[in-house]
Amino acid sequence: MDDDNAPRGVVDPEVRAYVYSLVSALGGTGADEEGRYVLGDDALACLKDIKRWLKLYDEKANRLDVARCLAEANLVKGDLMEILAAWPEDATEDRVQSKIALACLEILVPLTWPIEINELQTTVNHHRHIPYLQLAQISYKREILEHASSSILRTAVRIGLPSIALPIGERGSRDEGIIKLLLYFFRNIVMISAPHNLPVEWNEAEVSRSATIQAFHQQDVFALLLTIASNMGEDFNSQDVVVLEILFFMLKGIDIEELFMNEAQLETKKSSDLQGLITKEAAMLRGYAKNAPTRHNRFGTMIWVKRDDERVSSVSGQDVLSNSQKTMSKMDQSKKWNRPKQRGRNAEQDPNHYEIPVPLTPSANENLRSFVEEFLDSGFNPLFSHLRRAIEREADRVLEVHAQQYFYLVSWFLEAERLRRKSKQSKLDKKSQATRPASEADSFGIVASVLNQETFILLNRFMQDRLDLKSWHEVNAGIRCFTQILYTVQEMAESNLEEDQEIAENIQNRIFYEETTHDRILAILRGYKDQGFSYLDAATELSHVFLRMLERYSKENVDLQIRSRRRARKLKKATTQESEPQDTTADQDSEAEDVAEVQRVSKERKFDFSRFSSKFLTQSCIDTFVVFTTFYKDLSTDQLKRAHRFFYRIAFKQEMSVMLFRLDIIALFNRMMRGPDALNSASPMFREWDELTRQLVRRMIKKLQQRPELAIEMLFSKISSTVFYLEYGYEKQTISAKPRAPAELEVKGSLSRDEQIGVIIAVLHEDKLDAIDFVIKALKSVIDERRSWEAEAEARNILNSENGQDTENQTDSFKAPSTIVKPDNDERKLAIFKDNKLRLLMTLAGFERIGPDDDPDCTWIVPSELTSTQLQETCDMIEKSRKHPISQYGSEDPVPVEEMLRRKTVIRPRAEFDDDSEGDGLATDGEKEFLFPAGGPTNRKSDALAELKKKRRKRGVDNISDAEVDDEARDAKRKARALAELEKRRKLKSDVLVHDSDDEDDEERDREFFAREAERRKGQSLKVLEALKGAEEDGSDTTVSKKRKRSEGGNQRRKKTRYSGTDSESDMDELPRVQGIRSSPHPEDQDPSTSDDNSDTETPLSSPQNNPLNEIELNKALLGRNTDSFATEKVSMLAIDEKDEEDEDETMLLPSSTRMRGRLAVLDDSDDD
């Protein structure tokens, strides 16, 4: 609040007077009391008034005047600390003194509350008071931690103990407020730190992190925190967030590795760090001594450098005289462009910043280690499981910053647990480790609350949301947490307990199962851009650990499946009103009228590690590690190893060293090994980096000899096509996918053409007015052209009528040709192909498409059949709908125009013989394969119907109408025949597949069979001879009857004739002599005239004069024939006669030989004797 009416000066004098009067009335020291602090008569009321001033004036008015006055009046040190110190520990029953102590705590909490600078709400008044109040808070903290006569923190714990001791069901809102007030007081003490931009008059160690830890340990604050954390969820619910903040501000920036070192290890580490600093200083001094100023070079130097292009550059300084490399290096430094950095928030002013390291004293280190170990054993799981549930349900007490603090503390404690295990193992010798059995104390169950699926889901959602928001500090916390989870799971997999190994296997399967996790790791590594070294270190470490663990896990699990999410089309039902009832037809229509929308669907596929690792072969990933490597002088051994393994994987494992053939990368590696600021040769990673550099340069020289173009490409980053060309020497051939036309639309309902045009115009009117204008413009152009053609045609007709010519035959020659509709730009051409709504409008307007649907270059025309009048009506209708679009149709239940469009139903062409019948009793393919095949001599496929159709004679024109058969009747007959055949096959018991193995070799059975067959043949031959003798006696009678039938019957004989099929035809060749005898009469009885008359209808197969047959030859012919074939002919003949009685239109004239053979077949079966 900074307006013109504000009082001049720092604080309003009236406010100052009121505050000072309250502080004076509170109490004080006097000589008569021997220097002891004495409370005033209304001390409790004065404390309450001070609290009201802080709340009503400072907080509501957004001012800091009262806090400034209280700091100037020395309220905390002179009054509040003395009041709390004067409260004896054994005075637990003194209610007045406890109320006064509680009132002091209520004032201390707002006075020590951290001051946050908000640029949007900060006024001039804030800038006046904040520096003073920051120094005042430091003095408050110093007095609280190191009070001369009493332990203030223990006194504060005593204030809250009565409320803490109550069960959760008996606590009231006042008790919950006291507990929360106490915890906030501890939080404020931990947060207060000395500002770096302000001078202090005392030792900073008095308010350091080590002093705070020492005070918390000595005054039982750690014990209180352990009690609350271990009972979280049972006796405490709403205090989890405050405990989280206390732990965060106490542990942030502390080196965990040093925390779990003993004194000897700490001394060794400190000496090694000191030795490293001395070495760096000596190297710096040596480099400086080479160009150190002397009494002879203090006047300066400037030289000219002559370059290859005959140009001259000037360089100043005597250090350039030493060698040419130094000269060129200084020239490069002068040409370097220092891009201006964006002004960001100062990390030191951010209280949630955790990247600044904080040193601890040995005593503080030991006290904190004991607290951390006890917290891991008892309070970690209850507290962090309760916090996770609160963050998931977004409780009111949870702020956005608490998620960042949560994940940072998870990573901190997981790393602490791993280092604690290592320190324990290092204390035990190898023999004791081998003989010591694994127990539950070695289990990772003490951190199980952050290794479950719920935590992984929360972590993934948190990282993805913060990545989208580009909140890099929070992303950094998520990266650290995920990295430490991977480290912990890796150690669990190597544990001696089978339960931990199974849990580790399950966790790895869950982490690596989601492809979105893989993509997020890549996005984090690729997205680095000036986020700071801490983010860079965390991102590279996560990618290194994740890639290494995934490679190992994929080798152990060859059939690893991952769930990939890809974009697919999904049918979404159209929105309908639920209030009114709907009939079944409407439901069916809505299912057919679903609208396709894009969403992500899941699909499992087999994981390929080489495919995943190839995603790291991008310039963005390489650039991230190159930037990380530029800090090689400040990197540790593990960090140097991390960068080395990444470049080694790209160059040699992936065989993509071309990606590293860049001048900046090669120069960086050379500078690390051979430059003036080279890596220390005593470093453990020096030899590996040196070998990598030499092998990479060797490959680069070899590739330059193979591909001289690489000399140019080394200046630039490489895309995939360039890499392919440099590897194989030719460009990669890519085949572009064929474009696909959208689904055609139509308007629902039985609307008229004008109404359909109104619907599509209303749909396009929202955001595609240019498409409507394009159609109108095209119509007007075609209308003008058609009118010209029609005028010309009318003039020609008038001229021809005057000349007496016929004008009716010339009308078509004067018709206007079809007009091509040309798009006005490339975007319109693409819209005509892709926009199905525009295509529907063009179709309703009368336009036609020439060419295939999937051709983007297909031509649209206006057909010549449309006259100018019709086109003008269409154009007027479109313009009318454009000016006054109708958004809804229907009077009782209006429907929006967007819901009146649906996909056009595509009619599938019906295949031949496809009757779309289901459940008609016909056998399926599987059932046909299951049925027994027809075996034995009866297994003959009859093609009688096919042969009949081929040899069928056409009837006369007059009988065509009588021979027509309905298609449905034909289908019914076909199905009936198929069912009959199927039933016959179902009843078939095949002897081919079912027989007794004992019957395979039976000589007695064979002997009886052949004897029976011989007797059957003899009996059959006797019957045939008797039949032939009877035929010779009646030969003359048979000839006369034949003549009479031919003269009287005519075509009736053809109508009743049946043919036995192809099997009978094949058997006809076996008895040519018998057929010849039966086909013609005896030569003595035959009439020549009769023979001539019948020559047109029947022709005997053989002449009786040329084929004499005696009884001996006939016997031989009959005995040589298989008797079973005759039986087969009889059965097939009768079956076909029964089936074909209905097909009277399929008749055929049979030769006389066939009729004779039919009579012989009746006598063929000897079983009837």
Side-chain angles (χ1 to χ4, degrees):
M1 183 180 298
D2 188 15
D3 50 11
D4 297 337
N5 297 325
R8 297 181 180 181
V10 178
V11 180
D12 188 358
E14 295 182 1
V15 175
R16 187 186 298 274
Y18 279 116
V19 173
Y20 279 5
S21 63
L22 290 174
V23 174
S24 301
L26 184 59
T29 59
D32 54 348
E33 298 293 338
E34 298 178 356
R36 291 184 298 106
Y37 187 87
V38 179
L39 289 173
D41 296 335
D42 295 331
L44 184 60
C46 293
L47 291 173
K48 292 182 179 180
D49 289 342
I50 294 173
K51 177 185 173 182
R52 293 191 188 96
W53 273 96
L54 287 171
K55 183 177 181 180
L56 298 176
Y57 191 82
D58 278 5
E59 293 182 10
K60 291 190 175 182
N62 192 19
R63 301 179 66 89
L64 300 175
D65 294 345
V66 177
R68 174 69 177 265
C69 294
L70 294 176
E72 293 176 351
N74 198 15
L75 173 68
V76 175
K77 182 180 179 181
D79 296 285
L80 299 183
M81 294 296 102
E82 298 299 330
I83 294 173
L84 293 175
W87 186 25
E89 295 184 3
D90 55 352
T92 56
E93 301 297 333
D94 192 352
R95 297 179 60 86
V96 177
Q97 189 68 26
S98 62
K99 287 183 179 180
I100 293 174
L102 179 60
C104 293
L105 186 62
E106 291 177 347
I107 296 175
L108 282 175
V109 170
L111 289 179
T112 57
W113 198 274
I115 301 174
E116 297 180 359
I117 302 176
N118 189 353
E119 296 181 356
L120 299 178
Q121 298 179 357
T122 303
T123 61
V124 176
N125 190 31
H126 290 82
H127 289 288
R128 290 172 180 171
H129 297 322
I130 284 177
Y132 188 87
L133 292 179
Q134 287 178 346
L135 295 176
Q137 287 183 347
I138 296 174
S139 64
Y140 299 161
K141 181 177 181 179
R142 185 167 63 92
E143 293 297 329
I144 292 172
L145 296 179
E146 299 180 357
H147 192 267
S149 61
S150 178
S151 300
I152 303 301
L153 295 178
R154 183 179 286 112
T155 305
V157 171
R158 290 168 52 202
I159 296 173
L161 279 179
S163 300
I164 295 174
L166 293 175
I168 188 173
E170 298 179 4
R171 291 192 202 131
S173 58
R174 181 176 181 276
D175 297 322
E176 293 290 340
I178 291 173
I179 298 174
K180 187 177 295 185
L181 189 69
L182 177 63
L183 293 176
Y184 274 123
F185 175 65
F186 295 149
R187 192 277 313 265
N188 296 343
I189 297 301
V190 176
M191 285 188 64
I192 295 174
S193 60
H196 297 278
N197 56 349
L198 296 176
V200 292
E201 299 177 357
W202 49 84
N203 188 6
E204 294 185 6
E206 296 178 356
V207 292
S208 63
R209 190 79 59 85
S210 298
T212 306
I213 294 173
Q214 285 290 98
F216 276 24
H217 175 72
Q218 295 173 359
Q219 303 182 31
D220 301 332
V221 178
F222 280 158
L224 177 65
L225 295 177
L226 288 173
T227 303
I228 295 177
S230 60
N231 292 278
M232 191 63 64
E234 297 178 359
D235 295 333
F236 304 95
N237 283 326
S238 60
Q239 294 80 13
D240 50 357
V241 174
V242 190
V243 176
L244 173 72
E245 293 183 355
I246 295 173
L247 294 176
F248 174 77
F249 291 111
M250 184 188 303
L251 300 176
K252 68 172 185 176
I254 295 178
D255 190 356
I256 308 174
E257 186 177 359
E258 294 182 358
L259 185 65
F260 288 93
M261 288 182 181
N262 52 29
E263 295 182 2
Q265 292 175 344
L266 282 174
E267 292 296 332
T268 304
K269 186 177 184 300
K270 290 180 179 179
S271 61
S272 62
D273 293 343
L274 180 60
Q275 184 65 31
L277 292 175
I278 293 173
T279 303
K280 290 182 179 180
E281 183 182 10
M284 183 182 63
L285 292 176
R286 284 195 302 269
Y288 179 74
K290 294 179 181 180
N291 304 310
T294 63
R295 60 179 181 174
H296 299 291
N297 61 4
R298 60 177 176 267
F299 299 105
T301 302
M302 178 177 288
I303 63 172
W304 285 354
V305 180
K306 190 174 183 180
R307 295 183 293 182
D308 297 337
D309 53 358
E310 299 299 331
R311 293 186 179 182
V312 178
S313 300
S314 60
V315 184
S316 62
Q318 287 194 356
D319 54 345
V320 299
L321 298 176
S322 58
N323 52 26
S324 59
Q325 182 181 1
K326 192 70 175 178
T327 305
M328 295 299 176
S329 178
K330 194 161 187 176
M331 289 180 61
D332 293 339
Q333 292 178 2
S334 64
K335 292 185 296 184
K336 186 177 180 180
W337 176 54
N338 295 323
R339 184 175 59 181
K341 297 182 180 180
Q342 296 181 357
R343 182 183 178 184
R345 186 176 182 180
N346 190 3
E348 298 178 355
Q349 297 179 359
D350 187 3
N352 296 307
H353 191 74
Y354 46 79
E355 299 169 359
I356 301 175
V358 178
L360 295 179
T361 60
S363 59
N365 192 52
E366 183 178 357
N367 294 331
L368 183 61
R369 180 171 67 247
S370 62
F371 168 74
V372 170
E373 290 177 351
E374 293 178 2
F375 180 80
L376 285 170
D377 294 334
S378 61
F380 181 83
N381 282 338
L383 176 62
F384 280 86
S385 60
H386 198 270
L387 281 169
R388 176 185 53 78
R389 291 191 293 268
I391 295 174
E392 286 178 346
R393 64 174 180 266
E394 297 180 357
D396 295 336
R397 64 182 183 275
V398 178
L399 304 179
E400 292 183 359
V401 72
H402 291 150
Q404 174 189 351
Q405 297 174 357
Y406 172 81
F407 289 114
Y408 175 79
L409 286 180
V410 169
S411 66
W412 197 96
F413 281 108
L414 287 179
E415 186 178 0
E417 175 61 21
R418 291 192 304 105
L419 293 177
R420 183 175 69 155
R421 290 173 178 271
K422 288 182 180 180
S423 64
K424 287 182 180 181
Q425 292 176 1
S426 63
K427 293 178 182 179
L428 299 175
D429 55 355
K430 296 182 179 179
K431 293 183 180 180
S432 60
Q433 290 181 11
T435 58
R436 178 174 172 268
S439 61
E440 294 183 359
D442 298 331
S443 175
F444 283 86
I446 58 177
V447 292
S449 61
V450 296
L451 297 178
N452 49 20
Q453 185 66 15
E454 291 80 3
T455 305
F456 298 152
I457 295 174
L458 179 63
L459 176 60
N460 291 329
R461 184 170 66 246
F462 172 79
M463 293 176 65
Q464 189 61 47
D465 293 343
R466 297 311 183 268
L467 271 175
D468 297 339
L469 297 175
K470 297 183 178 181
S471 181
W472 303 119
H473 287 293
E474 297 181 355
V475 175
N476 192 2
I479 293 173
R480 289 173 180 267
C481 180
F482 193 59
T483 305
Q484 294 304 322
I485 288 176
L486 293 178
Y487 277 131
T488 305
V489 172
Q490 184 179 359
E491 291 195 1
M492 290 176 63
E494 299 173 357
S495 175
N496 297 328
L497 296 176
E498 295 183 359
E499 183 180 359
D500 287 346
Q501 295 177 4
E502 294 177 358
I503 294 174
E505 179 71 19
N506 189 15
I507 292 174
Q508 289 184 81
N509 190 14
R510 290 181 178 181
I511 292 175
F512 299 141
Y513 178 67
E514 295 290 344
E515 192 182 23
T516 54
T517 305
H518 305 181
D519 298 337
R520 191 177 300 112
I521 303 301
L522 284 168
I524 289 172
L525 188 62
R526 293 174 181 175
Y528 172 76
K529 185 180 179 183
D530 299 333
Q531 282 93 346
F533 180 78
S534 178
Y535 181 90
L536 178 62
D537 182 27
T540 53
E541 184 179 11
L542 175 60
S543 61
H544 172 71
V545 176
F546 186 85
L547 195 62
R548 184 164 52 88
M549 289 185 61
L550 183 57
E551 181 180 12
R552 182 185 304 173
Y553 187 76
S554 61
K555 289 180 180 179
E556 296 175 356
N557 300 271
V558 182
D559 298 330
L560 176 63
Q561 299 288 326
I562 62 173
R563 180 169 63 182
S564 60
R565 298 179 181 270
R566 292 290 179 264
R567 304 188 73 84
R569 308 290 296 178
K570 180 186 177 182
L571 295 178
K572 181 181 179 182
K573 293 184 178 181
T575 56
T576 54
Q577 295 182 356
E578 299 179 357
S579 58
E580 298 185 6
Q582 298 177 356
D583 54 0
T584 57
T585 58
D587 294 337
Q588 295 176 358
D589 292 340
S590 64
E591 292 180 0
E593 299 156 7
D594 291 339
V595 180
E597 70 171 5
V598 178
Q599 73 163 10
R600 301 189 70 85
V601 296
S602 301
K603 181 180 180 182
E604 285 191 355
R605 64 175 178 85
K606 187 176 181 180
F607 177 72
D608 185 6
F609 179 77
S610 59
R611 176 184 175 185
F612 172 70
S613 60
S614 63
K615 295 180 180 180
F616 287 86
L617 301 177
T618 57
Q619 289 295 334
S620 55
C621 294
I622 295 175
D623 291 341
T624 302
F625 271 91
V626 168
V627 174
F628 181 69
T629 312
T630 54
F631 300 96
Y632 64 91
K633 292 187 292 184
D634 301 325
L635 298 181
S636 63
T637 303
D638 293 338
Q639 292 171 335
L640 287 173
K641 184 178 180 180
R642 185 193 312 162
H644 176 272
R645 294 297 184 267
F646 178 80
F647 292 123
Y648 178 82
R649 180 183 294 275
I650 290 178
F652 300 102
K653 281 191 175 182
Q654 299 289 335
E655 293 295 336
M656 293 296 291
S657 55
V658 180
M659 300 294 295
L660 302 180
F661 293 162
R662 277 173 28 191
L663 285 181
D664 57 339
I665 298 177
I666 300 299
L668 173 62
F669 291 172
N670 183 67
R671 187 168 65 251
M672 289 176 63
M673 300 295 105
R674 306 289 185 269
D677 299 330
L679 192 66
N680 188 8
S681 58
S683 175
M685 292 299 299
F686 180 83
R687 181 173 298 178
E688 296 184 12
W689 273 101
D690 187 35
E691 183 66 21
L692 174 65
T693 304
R694 287 192 294 105
Q695 293 294 336
L696 191 62
V697 172
R698 184 179 302 172
R699 289 197 174 192
M700 183 187 66
I701 295 173
K702 185 177 179 181
K703 184 63 69 174
L704 278 171
Q705 295 174 356
Q706 296 177 358
R707 308 278 188 268
E709 300 86 356
L710 181 60
I712 304 299
E713 294 296 335
M714 287 181 65
L715 300 173
F716 311 101
S717 298
K718 297 168 184 61
I719 58 178
S720 58
S721 59
T722 305
V723 173
F724 187 88
Y725 176 78
L726 293 176
E727 283 289 336
Y728 303 103
Y730 59 90
E731 294 183 358
K732 186 177 182 180
Q733 302 294 327
T734 58
I735 301 175
S736 59
K738 186 178 180 181
R740 186 177 179 181
E744 295 187 10
L745 300 178
E746 64 179 2
V747 182
K748 294 189 295 186
S750 58
L751 301 179
S752 63
R753 176 173 168 271
D754 294 345
E755 291 176 341
Q756 293 181 15
I757 291 176
V759 170
I760 190 61
I761 291 297
V763 173
L764 293 173
H765 191 272
E766 295 181 359
D767 54 353
K768 297 179 181 179
L769 289 175
D770 55 341
I772 303 175
D773 296 337
F774 164 73
V775 176
I776 295 174
K777 183 179 179 181
L779 284 174
K780 290 182 178 180
S781 177
V782 176
I783 289 171
D784 295 339
E785 183 180 352
R786 292 291 165 88
R787 286 175 178 174
S788 301
W789 278 95
E790 291 172 359
E792 182 182 1
E794 185 179 358
R796 289 179 180 271
N797 291 333
I798 294 173
L799 182 61
N800 292 333
S801 62
E802 291 178 356
N803 297 332
Q805 298 179 2
D806 188 7
T807 59
E808 295 180 358
N809 298 328
Q810 298 180 1
T811 304
D812 295 337
S813 62
F814 299 152
K815 185 181 296 185
S818 299
T819 305
I820 298 176
V821 179
K822 297 181 180 180
D824 49 1
N825 50 38
D826 295 337
E827 295 180 357
R828 187 78 61 217
K829 180 179 179 181
L830 182 62
I832 291 175
F833 178 70
K834 289 289 186 181
D835 192 353
N836 50 6
K837 298 181 180 63
L838 176 59
R839 291 162 69 101
L840 176 59
L841 176 60
M842 296 175 67
T843 303
L844 293 175
F847 297 178
E848 293 182 359
R849 186 177 63 254
I850 305 299
D853 293 341
D854 294 336
D855 185 9
D857 297 328
C858 64
T859 304
W860 286 77
I861 65 170
V862 180
S864 58
E865 290 79 8
L866 297 178
T867 62
S868 61
T869 304
Q870 296 173 344
L871 294 175
Q872 186 62 45
E873 293 176 356
T874 303
C875 184
D876 295 341
M877 184 61 197
I878 294 175
E879 290 182 341
K880 178 181 178 182
S881 301
R882 186 187 185 282
K883 294 180 181 178
H884 306 287
I886 302 176
S887 59
Q888 293 181 348
Y889 280 82
S891 57
E892 297 180 356
D893 188 8
V895 179
V897 291
E898 293 81 3
E899 300 181 7
M900 297 188 65
L901 297 180
R902 66 181 177 187
R903 285 188 176 185
K904 189 175 183 180
T905 305
V906 179
I907 301 176
R908 179 176 61 88
R910 185 170 181 175
E912 189 176 2
F913 306 114
D914 185 8
D915 54 355
D916 295 336
S917 60
E918 296 181 0
D920 53 2
L922 298 179
T924 61
D925 294 339
E927 186 179 1
K928 290 178 180 179
E929 293 178 2
F930 178 77
L931 294 177
F932 283 102
T938 60
N939 186 14
R940 295 177 181 175
K941 186 177 180 181
S942 176
D943 296 331
L945 294 177
E947 294 295 332
L948 283 173
K949 292 179 181 179
K950 292 181 180 179
K951 298 180 180 180
R952 181 172 56 189
R953 297 180 180 179
K954 296 182 179 180
R955 295 184 178 181
V957 179
D958 297 334
N959 297 328
I960 291 178
S961 59
D962 298 333
E964 293 180 354
V965 181
D966 189 24
D967 292 340
E968 296 181 357
R970 286 180 177 272
D971 293 341
K973 293 176 183 178
R974 180 178 59 80
K975 291 182 180 179
R977 288 194 296 270
L979 287 173
E981 181 67 21
L982 179 61
E983 290 297 329
K984 184 172 68 176
R985 289 193 63 188
R986 285 172 177 167
K987 297 177 180 179
L988 183 63
K989 304 297 182 182
S990 177
D991 186 61
V992 177
L993 301 178
V994 181
H995 61 277
D996 192 358
S997 61
D998 296 337
D999 297 338
E1000 292 180 357
D1001 296 325
D1002 193 350
E1003 295 181 358
E1004 184 178 356
R1005 180 177 59 82
D1006 295 342
R1007 193 182 306 110
E1008 292 176 359
F1009 172 76
F1010 290 119
R1012 187 169 58 253
E1013 289 296 322
E1015 293 177 0
R1016 184 178 298 174
R1017 283 194 297 270
K1018 290 179 182 180
Q1020 185 69 20
S1021 61
L1022 293 176
K1023 292 181 181 181
V1024 172
L1025 290 176
E1026 291 177 0
L1028 290 176
K1029 288 180 181 181
E1032 290 178 355
E1033 293 176 359
D1034 299 334
S1036 59
D1037 298 337
T1038 305
T1039 305
V1040 173
S1041 63
K1042 280 184 179 182
K1043 291 181 180 180
R1044 185 168 54 252
K1045 288 180 180 180
R1046 291 192 185 98
S1047 61
E1048 295 176 0
N1051 293 331
Q1052 295 178 1
R1053 180 174 57 82
R1054 301 175 183 174
K1055 186 175 181 180
K1056 297 296 182 181
T1057 304
R1058 293 293 181 267
Y1059 189 42
S1060 63
T1062 56
D1063 293 335
S1064 299
E1065 290 178 1
S1066 62
D1067 294 337
M1068 287 172 62
D1069 298 335
E1070 299 181 5
L1071 292 174
R1073 297 181 183 273
V1074 177
Q1075 293 171 358
I1077 293 171
R1078 184 68 186 89
S1079 61
S1080 62
H1082 198 272
E1084 288 82 3
D1085 300 333
Q1086 185 179 5
D1087 191 356
S1089 61
T1090 307
S1091 176
D1092 294 336
D1093 295 337
N1094 297 335
S1095 61
D1096 296 334
T1097 58
E1098 293 186 68
T1099 302
L1101 296 176
S1102 60
S1103 176
Q1105 291 82 3
N1106 298 331
N1107 297 293
L1109 184 66
N1110 52 22
E1111 295 179 1
I1112 300 174
E1113 293 175 347
L1114 183 60
N1115 264 338
K1116 292 181 179 179
L1118 292 174
L1119 293 176
R1121 179 177 175 87
N1122 188 3
T1123 57
D1124 292 339
S1125 63
F1126 286 97
T1128 304
E1129 290 171 2
K1130 181 178 70 173
V1131 174
S1132 61
M1133 179 80 71
L1134 295 176
I1136 293 177
D1137 287 343
E1138 292 176 358
K1139 293 179 181 178
D1140 293 343
E1141 285 179 359
E1142 300 174 357
D1143 299 334
E1144 296 180 358
D1145 58 334
E1146 298 180 357
T1147 59
M1148 185 175 180
L1149 179 64
L1150 294 177
S1152 60
S1153 60
T1154 306
R1155 294 195 302 271
M1156 177 62 192
R1157 189 170 166 273
R1159 294 179 60 186
L1160 294 177
V1162 175
L1163 303 174
D1164 209 348
D1165 194 357
S1166 62
D1167 295 336
D1168 297 336
D1169 295 340

